[in-house]
Amino acid sequence: ASPPPPPSDGPEGRDNRDLHDTNTAQALDQDALASLKRSSAGAAGGAGAAAVAALVAGSSTYAAKTAFSRAKYVRSKQLKHQLRCRVERTRGHNVCEALCARDARKCRGMRPDTLARVLAGAHVYGGCR
């Protein structure tokens, strides 16, 4: 009896067992990546998106990877090279937490909920003048 066929990754029938990490698969070096980030810093989408696209284009093993591995590779490069932020609606408590986290002396040692109450009593809120 012959041995069972090796497991395949999805309908493609490929897996990553032939890919070996020898640090030679990436054609883009660190200096080129830094200069790419500096040159495309003001572009729409930011420097991170251009860096991720260049890293994917410079990888010699990207085409041989499975779909899951490609998505994982892109996600890891996005986490490393693209800036992320979360925009929240300004509320008294959020502003107080940010102030206290940056410099507790600015809020005179008040807890964020107390400072939020003071601001709400003074009718200070997001978008007011």
Side-chain angles (χ1 to χ4, degrees):
S2 65
S8 65
D9 184 57
E12 303 160 345
R14 293 188 297 178
D15 56 16
N16 295 329
R17 76 179 79 197
D18 296 329
L19 300 178
H20 302 288
D21 187 14
T22 59
N23 290 332
T24 58
Q26 185 56 253
L28 196 66
D29 63 342
Q30 201 166 12
D31 295 331
L33 183 64
S35 67
L36 176 69
K37 281 184 173 182
R38 278 193 302 274
S39 67
S40 61
V52 170
L55 286 168
V56 167
S59 175
S60 63
T61 59
Y62 184 77
K65 293 182 180 190
T66 62
F68 176 78
S69 294
R70 281 189 231 131
K72 185 176 164 185
Y73 179 80
V74 170
R75 186 172 52 245
S76 71
K77 297 306 174 192
Q78 285 173 339
L79 288 174
K80 185 173 182 178
H81 297 288
Q82 284 184 335
L83 296 176
R84 297 168 309 282
C85 68
R86 182 177 63 204
V87 179
E88 289 186 358
R89 182 176 174 169
T90 50
R91 294 186 174 92
H93 195 270
N94 294 347
V95 173
C96 297
E97 279 185 344
L99 280 174
C100 291
R102 185 181 299 169
D103 188 8
R105 293 176 297 166
K106 282 189 176 182
C107 55
R108 303 281 187 205
M110 271 193 269
R111 290 186 353 211
D113 59 334
T114 307
L115 190 54
R117 229 171 180 354
V118 170
L119 291 175
H123 299 293
V124 176
Y125 54 90
C128 73
R129 295 183 178 254

